[in-house]
Amino acid sequence: IQGLAGLKINRLVLGEFKNERKLQKFDRSCLEGLCNLTIEQFRIAYLNKFSRNDTDLFNCLANVSMISLLSIPLGSLQALLKDFRWQHLEMINCDFDKFPALELRSLKKFVFTDNKDVSSFTKTELPSLQYLDLKRNHLSFKSCCSHTDFGTTNLKHLDLSFND
């Protein structure tokens, strides 16, 4: 990544992009130089050894418009995702302990699917949100789903299918 410094990159994919296997080793040094890139879309996928200490890489991605996290054992991102300029965020099969409490003013599309350990919904502050996909989790929506729960009145798409 250091060799790419100064370039504008449309889409950067790290990890196993063909979804054929999970990479067993994640070398943090490969992320050095990430802050020196201009990236439009960032995807990190199928890494087994992604530590909670590695989440500081998101600070270098605060201005990326689209982030996709696929099969990354994150556990929790509470308090991390605030004031980033992301417009599209995908968190798919990331072994979350609980629903992330997001405060992203520019986020328009949020996909949070296949996170089987998440059972309760947390209020979010997403005033620009238009598209919300929460399918295939174990979420319970007993007291959910007014515009105050999502922090938006702009929602045009909502998918709650295959939940509890």
Side-chain angles (χ1 to χ4, degrees):
I1 292 180
Q2 287 177 338
L4 301 174
L7 293 178
K8 182 177 180 188
I9 298 170
N10 183 43
R11 186 171 194 202
L12 179 62
V13 178
L14 296 178
E16 179 56 48
F17 71 95
K18 289 186 178 181
N19 307 342
E20 294 173 355
R21 65 182 187 275
K22 282 194 173 192
L23 295 179
Q24 297 301 315
K25 186 176 179 184
F26 177 67
D27 184 1
R28 250 185 90 47
S29 67
C30 78
L31 298 177
E32 292 175 14
L34 195 59
C35 289
N36 298 325
L37 300 177
T38 302
I39 304 170
E40 184 68 25
Q41 299 176 10
F42 181 79
R43 179 181 176 115
I44 189 165
Y46 292 93
L47 295 178
N48 251 1
K49 301 287 183 185
F50 192 87
S51 164
R52 291 178 192 215
N53 297 327
D54 293 326
T55 57
D56 62 338
L57 81 95
F58 294 116
N59 293 326
C60 291
L61 301 169
N63 294 320
V64 172
S65 67
M66 191 264 198
I67 298 282
S68 179
L69 308 172
L70 178 61
S71 292
I72 307 293
L74 291 173
S76 176
L77 288 180
Q78 301 311 105
L80 171 70
L81 304 175
K82 294 184 180 184
D83 301 322
F84 287 2
R85 296 189 185 120
W86 301 344
Q87 293 181 20
H88 182 151
L89 173 60
E90 295 180 352
M91 298 175 166
I92 301 168
N93 191 26
C94 289
D95 298 329
F96 278 95
D97 300 331
K98 55 186 170 180
F99 193 86
L102 300 174
E103 294 182 28
L104 298 169
R105 303 199 67 59
S106 61
L107 194 68
K108 294 179 181 177
K109 184 173 183 176
F110 181 43
V111 176
F112 185 86
T113 61
D114 295 307
N115 293 289
K116 303 296 184 194
D117 293 333
V118 178
S119 60
S120 62
F121 179 78
T122 304
K123 286 188 177 187
T124 61
E125 187 60 38
L126 306 169
S128 300
L129 192 68
Q130 297 176 5
Y131 183 102
L132 180 60
D133 185 348
L134 299 176
K135 70 178 169 267
R136 291 191 306 269
N137 295 295
H138 284 258
L139 292 169
S140 174
F141 297 103
K142 291 179 182 170
S143 62
C144 165
C145 303
S146 74
H147 68 88
T148 59
D149 291 325
F150 302 117
T152 186
T153 56
N154 299 318
L155 206 56
K156 295 177 182 173
H157 175 90
L158 175 63
D159 188 345
L160 303 174
S161 61
F162 302 104
N163 277 289
D164 289 348

